[in-house]
Amino acid sequence: MVEPRRLLLIFFLSTLLIAYSNANVEEIQKDTEEGDEEVKVGGQKALGVTYDARSLIINGKRELLFSGAIHYPRSTPDMWPDLIKKAKQGGINAIETYVFWNGHEPVEGQYNFEGEFDLVKFIKLIHEHKLYAVVRVGPFIQAEWNHGGLPYWLREVPGIIFRSDNEPFKKHMKRFVTLIVDKLKQEKLFAPQGGPIILAQIENEYNTIQRAFREKGDSYVQWAGKLALSLNANVPWIMCKQRDAPDPIINTCNGRHCGDTFYGPNKRNKPALWTENWTAQYRVFGDPPSQRSAEDLAYSVARFFSKNGSMVNYYMYYGGTNFGRTSASFTTTRYYDEGPLDEFGLQREPKWGHLKDVHRALSLCKRALFWGVPTTLKLGPDQQAIVWQQPGTSACAAFLANNNTRLAQHVNFRGQDIRLPARSISVLPDCKTLVFNTQLVTTQHNSRNFVRSEIANKNFNWEMYREVPPVGLGFKFDVPRELFHLTKDTTDYAWYTTSLLLGRRDLPMKKNVRPVLRVASLGHGIHAYVNGEYAGSAHGSKVEKSFVLQRAVSLKEGENHIALLGYLVGLPDSGAYMEKRFAGPRSITILGLNTGTLDISQNGWGHQVGIDGEKKKLFTEEGSKSVQWTKPDQGGPLTWYKGYFDAPEGDNPVAIVMTGMGKGMVWINGRSIGRYWNNYLSPLKKPTQSEYHIPRAYLKPKNLIVLLEEEGGNPKDVHIVTVNRDTICSAVSEIHPPSPRLFETKNGSLQAKVNDLKPRAELKCPGKKQIVAVEFASYGDPFGACGAYFIGNCTAPESKQVVEKYCLGKPSCQIPLDSIPFSNQNDACTHLRKTLAVQLKCA
């Protein structure tokens, strides 16, 4: 927690920097509203991007930055404009993205900047929407992306040690980072060139592993900083979670509550920036749902900005999809679906709207935040006020915090009695008018619906082709080869085969005793076959990659064939010495023989990278003609399924529901939409992910779908759905403040845009849809959540009729809580502060 005295010192020094030549600022114009005063150098508008202890200064103006992370390869280019537009509508004024080295240079010296990897196109779209851009070059990015963004071929560079003061690594890192910065400079995309890029990042969360490299880690940080500065991008560079970021690089915070956990900039002339405010938590297969409330997010943002912060980046604002094999170890195909924009690009409410409101509330405080001095007042045991006052002016903003996590509290602030809900912050942009509380959501809610497509599921017929386990493969070594090195990130799969001769006396004599095949593996999973019969499978987890497979098997007198299919679920994406991570079988034994345990680890093993269906490209139209497909049976391991479906009706996003399937991958018209793993259940006994996004851009009028099923699932219940958020809701109480959207600043003072600021429910259908039904309405003490509201102990009987009057047949509606039918004569809840909960259907 930043102490008040430290804040005062920072701002005293900041004021000196502004007033004197140390900051090269000689004149400040203060004739614009909402704190948009220009910072001038030598009487001229300061162009480009600079900073001081208070904020970034962009083309002569200070900015409060509300940034949203959208990664260009995690969506299709046709989705980019809509995602950026929705982010801007949500109060976002900057878009952040990593740069994905292994996507841009999958083979050394061969570059890809096309399609979903068209970085320049993405940045230009940001510029077209008049937003800033934050480019995190890395080139290590983590991001739950395969190999942390580092290309696989880098592992095989002789003598390389990733992310260390190591010449081979530094050589390739310098070459790629230079390539990216030069490409962006050539397109004039940095702010001093008139472009949108205002910040760039080198490295990523290096402090977490720096000690592992000792002095080589320390010198690497210094080298990386010098590399960044040498590229002459002429924008500030940042290092996230890097206490020793070399000057003038800014160290930044990542986490959920940087207002309380950030140790602050490592120099007093640097601003407090937050590069990752996690909107939930990424998920790995086997995880239960991950959630973070809109209220907690808003609290964290208001807290950070009240304590000297000037930039927040939501990680992720839109998470998107890990198409193909792009996800890191065990990470799900769906990424940060709980962000303000869900995987399908739909607004998740109330998170999208509540964050829009906190952005608006903070923007109303801009003048006081930029030019004021903070003081902290204690209002109670767990209550405080942080007040920003610009000396000699009326500019003032107050943040009233109740840090009691259980109880609401009343505080007296400047003669006003103000109720603060538990663990909340109230924002008063003029130190008098309450326009926002982080715990009281005035924006609407919604619920996501998956609707079975009538068109796509009509005449959906499957055919199958089953892989045959190989026997006596070539490419022989005494022991099984390490799996990462064997596959070289070209496939998830590799076969290992061996054979052994057994005599009659080797086999168990008793009928109820069978030999056991035991495989100890470093990860990630194995399917085992003995004499052509499937013996079973086993796998590790994100937490513990290693595992042991043990299965009873049937062996025979004479020659026995063992085939193991090792598989990976993405390469590692974090930690020190990533180049020294290993996977695959390390010990293979047979137990229960009359002659004792037989170690066959060094029995001589043949190898094959990939499976036959991959080599034949069965997932393409042409490749699928190379084998004979048959009618599906009851399901079995390593089976390919092929079918066709028509493009779903409408223009809503599309998904496939993998009911009844085990583990594998899905292709649509030859393009992989990612790995599925339905039978890896969470502790709640449910799949971590059941629905998988099919981008509309992948679809044609008639579409080929191919599934690779590893573990025996049956596709008879697999179906195509469209996705909407046409269920909209509101839950507003009598004590809710008016929305900050109803206020503006004019001539330096806060003004209401409307006369009536009483609480009201505000609802709006997505797109051009209209309200067609009132599914729930209760004015009293309802409970539940959008999609599952319930009537409480009391409710006004006219609730539904009133809502229907205000809303039916309209694209949007506002319902005042003091409407006549809700008057005291019909009040069934006189002893309660009442809430109006409404659920509507749009179509």
Side-chain angles (χ1 to χ4, degrees):
M1 183 178 295
V2 180
E3 296 179 356
R5 285 181 295 180
R6 185 180 175 192
L7 279 173
L8 283 169
L9 178 59
I10 289 171
F11 273 82
F12 174 72
L13 290 168
S14 177
T15 304
L16 288 177
L17 286 168
I18 294 167
Y20 295 97
S21 59
N22 286 347
N24 295 319
V25 176
E26 297 180 356
E27 183 179 352
I28 299 172
Q29 299 284 351
K30 297 181 180 178
D31 55 359
T32 55
E33 65 179 39
E34 296 194 17
D36 288 331
E37 294 85 351
E38 286 188 356
V39 178
K40 292 192 173 183
V41 180
Q44 300 295 318
K45 182 177 178 180
L47 297 177
V49 187
T50 59
Y51 65 79
D52 61 17
R54 187 61 198 99
S55 71
L56 295 181
I57 302 167
I58 305 169
N59 292 328
K61 290 185 178 181
R62 298 188 181 279
E63 292 284 0
L64 291 180
L65 292 170
F66 308 110
S67 173
I70 300 176
H71 294 162
Y72 51 100
R74 283 175 158 145
S75 57
T76 53
D78 67 299
M79 295 175 66
W80 294 346
D82 186 59
L83 295 173
I84 296 168
K85 177 184 174 182
K86 287 176 177 174
K88 183 175 181 179
Q89 291 171 341
I92 293 297
N93 58 10
I95 300 295
E96 173 270 319
T97 185
Y98 281 121
V99 176
F100 297 77
W101 188 358
N102 55 7
H104 293 301
E105 194 181 4
V107 178
E108 184 177 1
Q110 298 180 19
Y111 299 102
N112 175 21
F113 288 93
E114 304 295 327
E116 64 268 31
F117 287 103
D118 194 339
L119 170 64
V120 167
K121 179 179 179 179
F122 183 70
I123 301 298
K124 286 184 175 180
L125 278 171
I126 295 171
H127 198 202
E128 287 175 17
H129 284 80
K130 296 180 170 57
L131 299 177
Y132 298 121
V134 178
V135 178
R136 303 172 76 183
V137 181
F140 171 80
I141 61 172
Q142 188 168 339
E144 294 70 58
W145 184 264
N146 196 42
H147 215 214
L150 301 180
Y152 173 80
W153 56 261
L154 208 60
R155 289 175 62 108
E156 300 193 349
V157 172
I160 199 165
I161 300 175
F162 292 174
R163 306 173 70 199
S164 173
D165 191 354
N166 167 268
E167 291 305 320
F169 181 76
K170 292 193 299 181
K171 170 189 169 183
H172 288 285
M173 174 175 166
K174 179 179 180 179
R175 178 182 54 80
F176 179 74
V177 171
T178 303
L179 172 81
I180 294 298
V181 172
D182 284 351
K183 178 177 282 288
L184 297 174
K185 285 165 66 176
Q186 288 164 10
E187 298 290 339
K188 301 188 184 318
L189 293 176
F190 286 97
Q193 302 173 293
I197 301 173
I198 57 170
L199 284 175
Q201 179 177 301
I202 194 77
E203 251 297 333
N204 191 64
E205 295 187 342
Y206 190 66
N207 259 163
T208 59
I209 66 166
Q210 187 169 338
R211 290 299 93 209
F213 299 105
R214 304 194 180 191
E215 68 278 358
K216 292 286 188 180
D218 298 339
S219 55
Y220 169 69
V221 170
Q222 299 300 314
W223 173 86
K226 290 176 182 177
L227 168 64
L229 298 173
S230 73
L231 299 174
N232 297 317
N234 296 319
V235 298
W237 284 82
I238 59 175
M239 285 184 170
C240 63
K241 296 180 74 171
Q242 192 66 41
R243 288 176 181 253
D244 58 345
D247 287 340
I249 293 171
I250 305 167
N251 61 302
T252 67
C253 185
N254 290 357
R256 287 196 174 205
H257 291 285
C258 284
D260 293 314
T261 61
F262 187 35
Y263 42 79
N266 62 12
K267 288 293 174 65
R268 290 171 177 168
N269 66 329
K270 298 179 182 180
L273 308 180
W274 190 353
T275 36
E276 291 187 17
N277 186 355
W278 303 323
T279 54
Q281 182 68 33
Y282 75 91
R283 299 170 71 187
V284 299
F285 287 112
D287 272 355
S290 167
Q291 298 178 340
R292 189 182 181 192
S293 71
E295 295 89 334
D296 186 59
L297 264 171
Y299 174 92
S300 72
V301 174
R303 185 78 167 163
F304 185 67
F305 280 78
S306 75
K307 298 175 74 174
N308 199 38
S310 59
M311 170 189 159
V312 63
N313 177 60
Y314 298 104
Y315 192 96
M316 299 289 295
Y317 197 81
Y318 166 78
T321 307
N322 292 315
F323 298 114
R325 301 174 44 259
T326 58
S327 61
S329 298
F330 290 89
T331 303
T332 56
T333 300
R334 175 180 290 164
Y335 189 62
Y336 271 90
D337 180 48
E338 296 80 7
L341 299 178
D342 70 14
E343 180 188 14
F344 306 97
L346 303 175
Q347 291 168 203
R348 177 182 291 278
E349 299 282 17
K351 193 170 283 187
W352 183 88
H354 198 47
L355 291 179
K356 177 178 181 177
D357 281 354
V358 75
H359 302 154
R360 179 60 184 162
L362 291 168
S363 294
L364 293 170
C365 303
K366 191 188 293 187
R367 187 187 190 101
L369 287 174
F370 281 156
W371 309 108
V373 177
T375 57
T376 301
L377 307 173
K378 191 170 180 63
L379 302 178
D382 300 306
Q383 295 75 43
Q384 67 173 186
I386 298 178
V387 181
W388 292 76
Q389 178 80 55
Q390 183 181 8
T393 74
S394 61
C396 183
F399 299 84
L400 311 184
N402 178 14
N403 296 315
N404 188 305
T405 58
R406 295 183 299 109
L407 300 175
Q409 300 289 336
H410 284 262
V411 298
N412 185 286
F413 179 72
R414 297 195 174 187
Q416 289 190 76
D417 180 70
I418 298 177
R419 180 182 183 275
L420 299 177
R423 199 172 183 278
S424 72
I425 294 175
S426 286
V427 181
L428 289 68
D430 59 357
C431 290
K432 296 179 290 187
T433 309
L434 174 60
V435 303
F436 181 78
N437 179 274
T438 58
Q439 194 65 27
L440 299 176
V441 177
T442 60
T443 190
Q444 72 181 32
H445 304 230
N446 64 24
S447 180
R448 186 164 63 190
N449 306 300
F450 293 96
V451 181
R452 189 183 181 99
S453 169
E454 294 297 328
I455 293 176
N457 294 293
K458 191 182 298 182
N459 303 320
F460 207 148
N461 297 314
W462 293 102
E463 296 179 290
M464 61 163 274
Y465 170 78
R466 188 158 290 144
E467 293 266 346
V468 176
V471 174
L473 290 172
F475 191 46
K476 287 197 172 182
F477 292 87
D478 289 342
V479 298
R481 303 292 284 172
E482 191 275 321
L483 196 50
F484 289 142
H485 179 75
L486 183 61
T487 59
K488 301 186 188 305
D489 197 28
T490 59
T491 173
D492 283 355
Y493 308 105
W495 283 107
Y496 303 89
T497 63
T498 194
S499 61
L500 62 154
L501 288 170
L502 295 176
R504 182 172 59 83
R505 294 184 179 277
D506 294 317
L507 300 173
M509 299 296 185
K510 296 181 179 179
K511 292 183 178 181
N512 61 345
V513 175
R514 296 173 63 196
V516 170
L517 173 67
R518 175 188 287 170
V519 182
S521 175
L522 298 172
H524 292 169
I526 279 179
H527 299 289
Y529 289 80
V530 176
N531 294 324
E533 296 294 322
Y534 186 63
S537 66
H539 60 81
S541 68
K542 174 68 174 181
V543 175
E544 183 53 68
K545 309 297 189 300
S546 298
F547 66 93
V548 176
L549 175 147
Q550 294 190 111
R551 294 291 186 274
V553 296
S554 296
L555 298 176
K556 62 184 181 180
E557 183 178 352
E559 188 173 33
N560 291 267
H561 299 285
I562 296 175
L564 306 177
L565 182 65
Y567 67 81
L568 299 169
V569 194
L571 272 64
D573 70 328
S574 60
Y577 300 105
M578 277 174 48
E579 72 283 354
K580 293 180 171 59
R581 308 290 178 81
F582 305 110
R586 62 174 179 81
S587 170
I588 306 163
T589 54
I590 297 176
L591 291 73
L593 298 174
N594 276 348
T595 47
T597 296
L598 180 62
D599 188 340
I600 58 174
S601 303
Q602 302 183 50
N603 196 52
W605 290 83
H607 298 77
Q608 176 183 299
V609 177
I611 57 178
D612 285 342
E614 287 181 298
K615 298 177 184 300
K616 293 172 179 171
K617 297 188 175 180
L618 298 185
F619 44 84
T620 66
E621 194 70 60
E622 189 63 31
S624 67
K625 298 174 184 177
S626 64
V627 299
Q628 185 66 45
W629 297 83
T630 61
K631 289 184 178 181
D633 53 24
Q634 295 303 306
L638 279 187
T639 302
W640 296 82
Y641 293 96
K642 180 184 78 166
Y644 291 90
F645 67 93
D646 293 330
E649 57 274 25
D651 58 3
N652 283 336
V654 180
I656 183 169
V657 183
M658 302 300 291
T659 307
M661 302 305 287
K663 177 186 179 298
M665 190 170 283
V666 184
W667 288 264
I668 305 294
N669 296 320
R671 303 182 71 174
S672 171
I673 65 170
R675 303 180 182 97
Y676 68 86
W677 203 345
N678 269 36
N679 62 0
Y680 189 174
L681 303 182
S682 78
L684 304 180
K685 305 302 180 186
K686 293 182 179 180
T688 302
Q689 180 178 348
S690 298
E691 308 88 13
Y692 293 79
H693 181 206
I694 302 175
R696 283 272 181 185
Y698 285 16
L699 296 178
K700 302 185 292 189
K702 192 172 188 65
N703 301 279
L704 169 68
I705 178 173
V706 175
L707 314 178
L708 169 60
E709 169 57 38
E710 297 177 29
E711 298 190 353
N714 191 316
K716 64 183 179 63
D717 294 321
V718 170
H719 57 282
I720 305 294
V721 296
T722 59
V723 190
N724 68 62
R725 286 187 176 270
D726 291 346
T727 301
I728 61 174
C729 307
S730 180
V732 178
S733 74
E734 295 174 324
I735 62 171
H736 272 61
S739 167
R741 288 165 274 137
L742 301 178
F743 294 88
E744 61 184 349
T745 56
K746 283 189 175 180
N747 301 319
S749 64
L750 184 71
Q751 297 181 13
K753 296 180 182 180
V754 297
N755 293 325
D756 185 4
L757 296 175
K758 295 176 183 177
R760 67 187 64 208
E762 299 182 53
L763 300 108
K764 182 179 180 181
C765 287
K768 298 180 180 179
K769 299 175 182 178
Q770 293 188 339
I771 298 161
V772 296
V774 177
E775 297 180 328
F776 181 90
S778 174
Y779 184 58
D781 62 343
F783 63 98
C786 190
Y789 281 125
F790 300 93
I791 291 175
N793 294 320
C794 59
T795 187
E798 304 92 341
S799 301
K800 188 171 183 180
Q801 294 93 310
V802 170
V803 174
E804 287 176 340
K805 172 188 170 184
Y806 276 94
C807 299
L808 276 181
K810 300 176 182 178
S812 62
C813 62
Q814 296 183 0
I815 312 158
L817 265 63
D818 62 352
S819 300
I820 295 174
F822 293 157
S823 64
N824 289 334
Q825 61 184 3
N826 295 318
D827 195 342
C829 311
T830 55
H831 60 293
L832 294 175
R833 289 191 177 93
K834 294 178 287 298
T835 295
L836 172 63
V838 175
Q839 180 172 311
L840 308 177
K841 181 180 180 181
C842 300

